[in-house]
Amino acid sequence: MARRRATGVTAKAARAVALVAVAALLTGCNEQQDSLAPRSHAASDIASLFWWMMGISWLGMGIVVCLMLFAWRKAHRRPGHETKEGEKLAFRIVIGAGIVFPIVLIATLFVISDIFVIKTTQAPAKSATRLTIRVIGHQWWWEVRYPGTAAVTANEIHIPVRTPVRLEVSTGDVIHSFWVPRLNRTIDTMPGKRNAIELYADAVGRYRGQCDEFCGLQHAHMGFYVFAEPQARFRSWLANMARPARSTAAQGRQVFMTSSCADCHAIRGTRASGDVGPDLTHVASRTTLAALTIPNDPAHLAHWITDSQSVKPGNQMPDMHLSGSQVHALVTYLDGLR
Ligand code: CUA
């Protein structure tokens, strides 16, 4: 009986270890969000610092293990033969390798990380860059604004490739943290404060970012994308974002304006100017909905409108009890907002 119970516990433990290993493997495979696959000078410096610290730590551990083996062997060979010289040497090793060396090493790493690496990750001065983007964290999505233009979007930030962008972050509610691991370090959004960081990408591509500060029930569903694009493509994207809406689906537009949709969302060029949820002026041009929770296609959009709480429990969107034909009309209208 006892043995069977023990076997059961061992099997359970083995299963847990296997699950953890698979999870670790899967997260390791997700190169999209891998800070050790940097695509900017700032992220490269952070990755180098990490590898240096890792290397030095392994070296330190190697030395400690060697000293332990050496001491163990010596004690076994001549038990009870400690000498005055031996004690003195041991004292010197403790002071030198145990106190002086770690202080010098940690101070050096502190200087390198705090003076050199932090500097390379900082936001460029306003006068040094042509583009500033403002990101506002909300429970649980990201508002994105391009000062100097009318463009407002959500959860998907477009930037020109190989261009230093000044990114200013703030919050509409609690503390969030903006992090694109392949591009730079994290930056917190603090109530009543505006923080800045550099956003820069070496190569054209899509980089996944994630809120990095626990901010409530749907913290994990607070992802975003940064799209780094060639200059011309970025300019035409921005020009389109700045334009008012052009969807011509009159029936769906009517549903939107007469239901509570218009109280919470803005669609520029219409009377809808709510600021509780994301700006929907060009919602159909985004690849995902609900901060990367679901893909942006008509089927998922319809599901989101009718039962958003099953997709992202705790979000602020209520069930508006729309009929099937109203939802269909609404989806047709929103799908035209490109
Ligand atoms: Cu926002 Cu976690």
Side-chain angles (χ1 to χ4, degrees), residues 176 211 213-215 219 222:
H176 305 272
C211 179
E213 177 83 38
F214 182 72
C215 56
H219 155 70
M222 198 170 161

Side-chain angles (χ1 to χ4, degrees), residues 205-323:
R206 188 180 76 175
Y207 304 94
R208 195 184 191 284
Q210 174 65 40
C211 179
D212 190 40
E213 177 83 38
F214 182 72
C215 56
L217 196 58
Q218 293 296 333
H219 155 70
H221 283 148
M222 198 170 161
F224 59 96
Y225 282 134
V226 172
F227 294 88
E229 298 169 327
Q231 280 287 348
R233 204 165 147 196
F234 168 73
R235 287 287 149 209
S236 75
W237 174 85
L238 188 61
N240 182 48
M241 279 301 117
R243 276 187 212 118
R246 284 168 298 180
S247 182
T248 50
Q251 201 191 338
R253 186 184 151 118
Q254 174 76 8
V255 174
F256 191 94
M257 299 307 157
T258 53
S259 70
S260 46
C261 304
D263 300 330
C264 292
H265 294 279
I267 295 182
R268 280 172 278 126
T270 74
R271 67 163 194 81
S273 58
D275 61 357
V276 178
D279 183 296
L280 300 179
T281 310
H282 298 284
V283 64
S285 70
R286 305 203 272 265
T287 62
T288 65
L289 294 170
L292 272 56
T293 309
I294 47 173
N296 187 8
D297 55 45
H300 283 95
L301 181 57
H303 185 208
W304 176 253
I305 292 168
T306 49
D307 190 12
S308 76
Q309 294 303 325
S310 75
V311 178
K312 199 168 171 177
N315 83 79
Q316 295 199 42
M317 191 146 115
D319 180 359
M320 288 164 299
H321 306 288
L322 299 172
S323 69

